[in-house]
Amino acid sequence: MISLAYRDVAKGFGRYLATGLGLGLLIGVTLTMAGVYRGMVEDGRALLEAAGADLWVVQQHTLGPFAEPSSISDEMIRGILAVPGVREAGNVAYLTMEVSHGGKSVRIMLAGYEPGRPGGPGRLVAGRPITRNHYELVADLRTGFRIGDVVPIRRHDYTVVGLAAGLRSPSGDPMVFLPLKDAQEIQFLKDNDALFRDRRRLEENPVFNPPGNPGLLGTVEETLFSNHRVNAVLVRLAPGYSADEVAAQIRRWLRLTAYTDAEMEEILIGQLIATAAKQIGLFLAILTLVSAAIVALTIYSMTQTKLKEIAVLKLIGTPNRLIAGMIVQESMGLGAIGFLAGKLAVTWWAPLFPKHVVLVERDTLVALAVTLVICLVASMAGVRSALRVSPASAIGG
Amino acid sequence: MTQPAILVEELSKTYGSGSSAVQALRHASMRVMPGEVVGLLGASGSGKTTLLQCLGAIIDPSGGRIELGSEVIFDGEWKYRDRRTLRRDRIGFVFQRPYLIPFLNVLENVAMLPMLQGKSNAQAYARARELLEILGIADRAGMQIEQLSGGQQQRVAIARALANDPPIILADEPTAPLDSHRAMSVMKLLHDMAERSGTAVIVVTHDENIIPVFKRIYRLRDGILHEEPGEGRPIVVDEAALV
């Protein structure tokens, strides 16, 4: 038997292909949105995995250090290390900023950590870990930095000694690791003019600069102009200890908030990106509806243009299943072309996005299934219209 | 005595009911012999299309009887459960316009019907080629429909109507869109094919030029069918005018 769908499509293949490609762009956008969501989730997880912490200790009653500001003294680590079950702990400071390098501005998340303690970049893809106390950094590949590059950050120049992959902030910015002291200085350092003015104000204040006690001014300045705050302390537990129990101890005795790794994941993924996820979900739903409407309208209008021929086919005895099959096959073909074009498009343009777009095989398969179901459902309007055509309409004016 | 190809007795068709009922056909009777070409004439609204649709098993008559060959196909009700099969296997249609399937080529348009009947592709294409040969358009077999002239398209439509070897062809104003020379050419084809295959042909027409070629005419007036003798003039085709 002649394939009516194949012949019909072959007859107007250019228009059919163009419609399929148009649908493909829409499917590509849909897949991209799903990829953006996956990227956000993966970014949140990447940070947690790199940290490799069992507990995140932050300022009391905060969701820090990413969802809310958190500031604790870097001396609290001693108390934390004294809690039974704590094997290792490391102070960390995070801040997002823009740095200029090679004439380009790059938005990064700086992570200050104490080398040899939790909070570092983990496995490197090139170079070496930070070994000096100052002015070295390890950067994620997406920063565009290379080993040996010198990157000016605030007052100092930092040398890139190592490169890591897949280390991004929950906002998708590539991470740059540097010694904690440097991060603290960057985070809290005032500019020279502000320091000068503050110092003058202190010198002019007889309470802080009494003639009989010249050492007092120096002590006050040291307190005011140096920084010993961090955003969090990352904790690794000794084997056999429950994260929940150790977290409860820290909360109770140190008056800090401690989150287990799972709780921090919930904060990062469940809360921090929840609104964005809902936004994307709604957008995906709208795109799906628009795709369905486009396929339905296309197939419906394709059917409408050949109602007379369908009437003749019915009149000469063509069974309904052949006519319906033609319409359904054309619709599915449109979906297949659209899906293929969409998949190719998203594969091509995903790396061009500034933020991380993750194309998951499962999402692709779901998109294929949804596309085919949409095409099947959308073809029903065309099938219904074709089956309602009376063969009598082929006879007479 | 030869069995009529189609025998219609007391056929009626009423649209609607009660006070709004319209009687489109009133006890129409006709008989067409194998190989005969008869004209069906009548003013607009006289019931021609209704009669054709009843004979083509497209709409349900309200009463009466229809025989195709020796088989009763309608007697107050359809004797065929699947009228689509009845149309496919027993009736050929030629329309005012060719209404060929535009996405199939000439050969496929003709072969489609035998394929629907369950014939193999080889058998269907062989039958289609044979008909195209007879109708003089075998050299157009691989062409797309839009590449043919109106007259050639109508020939393909006639070939399609004959592809299932029907005992009867219902032709609904087959010459309407054609000039007088091509109209005469189509009528000659219908006559030749009827004679060659023994198919009865009922031609609905308004075309004053071709009415004289019928030996017998049925004329519908207000749903009532009258039989009249035709002139039966020989069909003369001016081949030069067709070029």
Side-chain angles (χ1 to χ4, degrees):
Chain A
M1 188 62 206
I2 298 165
S3 166
L4 294 176
Y6 174 75
R7 293 295 199 282
D8 189 22
V9 167
K11 180 82 182 164
F13 186 67
R15 202 176 60 170
Y16 186 78
L17 184 67
T19 310
L21 292 178
L23 180 65
L25 293 178
L26 208 57
I27 292 171
V29 172
T30 310
L31 283 171
T32 306
M33 293 310 293
V36 167
Y37 171 71
R38 295 286 180 201
M40 290 165 74
V41 171
E42 193 166 283
D43 287 345
R45 290 214 172 103
L47 179 61
L48 294 177
E49 280 167 20
D54 297 314
L55 289 177
W56 291 69
V57 182
V58 298
Q59 183 181 331
Q60 199 175 23
H61 308 311
T62 70
L63 292 172
F66 306 110
E68 286 180 1
S70 159
S71 175
I72 56 178
S73 164
D74 57 8
E75 288 173 359
M76 291 304 292
I77 194 168
R78 291 186 201 143
I80 292 167
L81 281 165
V83 174
V86 174
R87 179 167 58 94
E88 284 181 277
N91 283 313
V92 286
Y94 297 111
L95 69 150
T96 301
M97 63 186 302
E98 293 227 358
V99 294
S100 292
H101 175 65
K104 283 199 294 186
S105 185
V106 186
R107 188 165 182 80
I108 57 169
M109 183 186 225
L110 279 180
Y113 76 107
E114 299 168 292
R117 290 187 169 185
R123 200 170 64 84
L124 303 184
V125 294
R128 61 167 175 82
I130 292 170
T131 52
R132 295 182 186 166
N133 288 332
H134 290 287
Y135 314 131
E136 287 187 344
L137 55 83
V138 168
D140 182 79
L141 285 170
R142 282 175 75 99
T143 55
F145 301 165
R146 285 176 297 186
I147 302 283
D149 280 357
V150 175
V151 183
I153 303 176
R154 295 274 165 87
R155 285 188 192 169
H156 303 291
D157 289 341
Y158 292 80
T159 305
V160 179
V161 296
L163 293 174
L167 294 178
R168 291 166 303 275
S169 75
S171 313
D173 301 318
M175 292 186 75
V176 170
F177 291 80
L178 72 174
L180 179 69
K181 293 289 176 197
D182 290 346
Q184 286 174 316
E185 186 184 318
I186 293 166
Q187 196 169 23
F188 298 102
L189 188 66
K190 295 178 179 178
D191 63 80
N192 285 342
D193 290 342
L195 282 173
F196 179 76
R197 280 193 295 270
D198 288 349
R199 280 198 176 120
R200 284 290 300 274
R201 201 176 298 127
L202 283 175
E203 282 168 14
E204 287 164 5
N205 189 333
V207 175
F208 296 119
N209 193 13
N213 189 0
L216 179 61
L217 181 65
T219 308
V220 172
E221 282 182 350
E222 166 66 17
T223 308
L224 286 176
F225 303 138
S226 65
N227 170 48
H228 297 286
R229 312 293 296 176
V230 293
N231 299 121
V233 177
L234 305 190
V235 171
R236 286 190 189 130
L237 299 178
Y241 283 88
S242 151
D244 288 326
E245 283 172 14
V246 176
Q249 294 279 326
I250 292 171
R251 279 193 286 263
R252 183 176 176 190
W253 297 110
L254 300 176
R255 304 182 71 79
L256 294 170
T257 294
Y259 295 110
T260 62
D261 195 41
E263 287 169 336
M264 185 51 76
E265 184 173 326
E266 170 59 23
I267 290 169
L268 280 177
I269 294 160
Q271 296 183 28
L272 197 60
I273 63 171
T275 310
K278 279 180 196 157
Q279 185 104 334
I280 289 172
L282 191 60
F283 198 53
L284 280 176
I286 292 169
L287 280 174
T288 307
L289 279 177
V290 170
S291 308
I294 287 176
V295 177
L297 281 173
T298 304
I299 292 298
Y300 185 75
S301 48
M302 276 170 75
T303 309
Q304 291 302 108
T305 57
K306 47 179 181 272
L307 285 184
K308 197 77 181 180
E309 286 79 16
I310 288 171
V312 174
L313 281 170
K314 290 172 104 169
L315 186 68
I316 66 174
T318 309
N320 279 342
R321 65 180 160 75
L322 270 186
I323 295 166
M326 170 180 75
I327 295 164
V328 171
Q329 283 166 33
E330 286 177 7
S331 182
M332 300 298 256
L334 206 58
I337 290 175
F339 176 78
L340 198 64
K343 176 68 184 153
L344 288 174
V346 74
T347 306
W348 177 74
W349 70 42
L352 305 177
F353 276 70
K355 291 208 173 177
H356 196 206
V357 177
V358 178
L359 305 174
V360 183
E361 194 178 331
R362 187 171 151 267
D363 288 348
T364 307
L365 292 174
V366 168
L368 175 63
V370 169
T371 303
L372 293 180
V373 168
I374 284 175
C375 288
L376 185 65
V377 173
S379 68
M380 290 303 127
V383 169
R384 189 165 170 269
S385 140
L387 296 187
R388 282 160 68 102
V389 172
S390 165
S393 61
I395 290 186
Chain B
M1 188 182 166
T2 314
Q3 181 79 31
I6 185 163
L7 181 64
V8 180
E9 291 175 340
E10 299 290 316
L11 201 67
S12 301
K13 174 65 184 176
T14 305
Y15 292 105
S17 59
S19 58
S20 63
V22 176
Q23 209 169 2
L25 275 182
R26 300 162 194 254
H27 309 290
S29 295
M30 74 189 305
R31 160 194 303 260
V32 186
M33 303 307 287
E36 190 181 15
V37 180
V38 300
L40 179 58
L41 313 181
S44 288
S46 61
K48 299 188 303 294
T49 299
T50 299
L51 177 58
L52 220 55
Q53 290 181 344
C54 288
L55 299 182
I58 296 165
I59 60 171
D60 300 330
S62 306
R65 180 182 164 91
I66 305 170
E67 277 181 35
L68 267 186
S70 56
E71 189 182 5
V72 177
I73 61 164
F74 182 85
D75 191 359
E77 60 179 16
W78 291 104
K79 301 297 175 188
Y80 265 75
R81 223 183 82 216
D82 182 5
R83 279 183 283 148
R84 197 181 290 250
T85 311
L86 170 66
R87 289 198 299 268
R88 187 190 69 195
D89 296 344
R90 310 290 305 276
I91 304 167
F93 293 93
V94 179
F95 310 104
Q96 206 172 86
R97 295 183 187 281
Y99 292 131
L100 299 166
I101 311 301
F103 47 84
L104 301 181
N105 67 23
V106 169
L107 188 68
E108 288 167 341
N109 260 282
V110 181
M112 175 92 186
L113 205 48
M115 284 181 190
L116 288 173
Q117 283 181 307
K119 294 200 168 72
S120 70
N121 284 9
Q123 286 174 315
Y125 284 129
R127 171 67 176 151
R129 279 198 189 88
E130 179 191 345
L131 285 166
L132 293 176
E133 190 73 45
I134 293 167
L135 289 161
I137 45 172
D139 56 334
R140 305 282 193 273
M143 283 187 170
Q144 294 301 310
I145 297 305
E146 73 265 14
Q147 294 175 284
L148 304 183
S149 68
Q152 287 168 336
Q153 288 186 19
Q154 200 58 300
R155 284 177 187 227
V156 179
I158 292 169
R160 179 177 65 185
L162 288 162
N164 57 348
D165 291 315
I168 181 162
I169 287 179
L170 304 175
D172 182 27
E173 302 198 51
T175 61
L178 304 176
D179 61 45
S180 59
H181 300 292
R182 284 184 170 75
M184 207 50 86
S185 164
V186 166
M187 285 311 297
K188 183 160 183 358
L189 273 176
L190 284 172
H191 274 84
D192 289 350
M193 296 309 294
E195 199 174 339
R196 179 192 278 259
S197 59
T199 304
V201 183
I202 299 174
V203 180
V204 171
T205 187
H206 282 113
D207 190 340
E208 295 294 334
N209 290 320
I210 66 163
I211 291 171
V213 306
F214 297 114
K215 288 180 183 160
R216 228 154 43 88
I217 288 169
Y218 284 97
R219 193 180 294 273
L220 263 165
R221 283 196 196 95
D222 300 325
I224 299 167
L225 195 61
H226 303 274
E227 184 183 344
E228 298 171 7
E231 293 179 37
R233 278 191 209 163
I235 301 171
V236 179
V237 178
D238 183 356
E239 297 291 343
L242 295 177
V243 177

